[in-house]
Amino acid sequence: MANDNFLDRLAADIESAAFQNGVDQKLWELIALAGTALDVRIAASDSAGYLIRLDCTDYWDQAILGQFIDCQTKQCVPSAWPQGSGIFQQWIKYSPGNLFICWDQDRGGISRHSEWAFRKSWQKKTNQLVSYLEFIHRLLWLPQYGYSRRSA
Amino acid sequence: MKITLRLEEDGQESQSVEIETEPTQILHSIADKVAKDFDTDVEDVLQCLAETRGHDSGNTSVAEFFGDERRLYRLRLVCITLHFEGESATRRFHASRTWREVHRWGCKRFCIAEDACPNLELRDGGVEGLLINENQKIGKVHGCKNVWLVAPGPEQNGK
């Protein structure tokens, strides 16, 4: 029953106006949905996009786990991760063997900073999914976060 | 010669301006006057005129552009009210302008520091409103669209 609630909430957030706005604005695109796993293509300021897999297990009760994956193989490999300056690497950890998003609303980050779990920061906004995608969008667009634009 | 330019917003005519001009004057000088009256920019006016006559040079003379034909033209523009930290300003844009251009105009209008400007986001309808992709064209707008320039809050990381 509880599992149904998680799925219902996730489905509602995927169908929300805010998620659809991101699709309409070409900020992101839902590529695949399998159970609680979403593959989303997210646009970057250099016009190329990244594919991110969002594991939304126990959606809302738990934070989302985001991992960038290769467009073809759908594997989480270092080459699929965006890169940037030291500032960027405060959030995006892309060294081989240590790929995760170090943010208090990502399950990978929380597993390494247990003190974040009690805050439940991912519940600050009512639409957890859109909040997550807007954060990634911000990292890939706003210069202050230090994303390295790729050459064409 | 007398030329009448009418402003059309959201499919409706909202105001018009009559200009008495010499045939030898360049189009840019007319656009400059109309831009002030219609709260827009010279480039937006020239873009509108270019649409009607397929002519995009502001250096074209008035006589060459308007010829002996009708001298009544409609300028189709969209109205944007931009808000930033308690201030607001309204300007009309050509619908083919991108949101990035609205953002840049806002930074100038609100005297936002050059290094801070690109780190702001555009949101539709409020500070927590829908995110706007600034690479997209403004497109059709109903009424005067309210858009907010927002500085995103800090994000926690492990450093």
Side-chain angles (χ1 to χ4, degrees), chain A residues 3-66:
Chain A
N3 193 38
D4 284 349
N5 288 340
F6 299 140
L7 289 172
D8 288 349
R9 182 154 196 144
L10 177 59
D13 284 353
I14 292 171
E15 288 162 16
S16 68
F19 184 85
Q20 192 53 48
N21 170 71
V23 175
D24 295 342
Q25 291 282 319
K26 298 185 169 51
L27 297 170
W28 54 72
E29 181 189 5
L30 180 60
I31 300 295
L33 170 62
T36 55
L38 283 73
D39 289 353
V40 179
R41 184 182 306 284
I42 190 151
S45 55
D46 49 9
S47 80
Y50 290 90
L51 193 59
I52 188 166
R53 178 161 291 164
L54 303 176
D55 176 349
C56 300
T57 303
D58 295 342
Y59 187 71
W60 188 252
D61 263 15
Q62 295 295 322
I64 292 169
L65 172 67

Side-chain angles (χ1 to χ4, degrees), chain B residues 78-117:
Chain B
V78 293
C79 177
I80 306 292
T81 296
L82 190 59
H83 303 259
F84 176 70
E85 293 183 345
E87 289 185 80
S88 65
T90 299
R91 215 205 96 170
R92 295 186 176 92
F93 292 85
H94 191 273
S96 68
R97 293 266 199 166
T98 63
W99 286 106
R100 174 155 291 117
E101 292 169 284
V102 176
H103 184 146
R104 284 198 195 117
W105 166 74
C107 287
K108 279 187 192 161
R109 180 66 182 71
F110 300 123
C111 301
I112 296 167
E114 254 178 58
D115 57 339
C117 177

Side-chain angles (χ1 to χ4, degrees), chain A residues 17-18 21 25-27 90-91 93 102-104 113 116 119 125 134-135 137-138 141-145, chain B residues 99-100 118-121 123-124 128-136 152-159:
Chain A
N21 170 71
Q25 291 282 319
K26 298 185 169 51
L27 297 170
Q90 290 177 7
W91 288 278
K93 309 292 186 185
C102 192
W103 183 43
D104 63 351
H113 294 271
W116 289 350
R119 293 186 203 161
K125 299 268 175 76
E134 286 190 353
F135 166 69
H137 165 80
R138 208 168 282 144
W141 283 77
L142 303 189
Q144 69 184 359
Y145 292 106
Chain B
W99 286 106
R100 174 155 291 117
N119 289 309
L120 301 174
E121 293 176 329
R123 289 189 175 264
D124 182 359
E128 301 258 334
L130 301 175
L131 196 57
I132 292 173
N133 184 343
E134 298 190 16
N135 288 342
Q136 299 283 305
E155 298 289 359
Q156 176 73 59
N157 61 53
K159 297 209 169 132

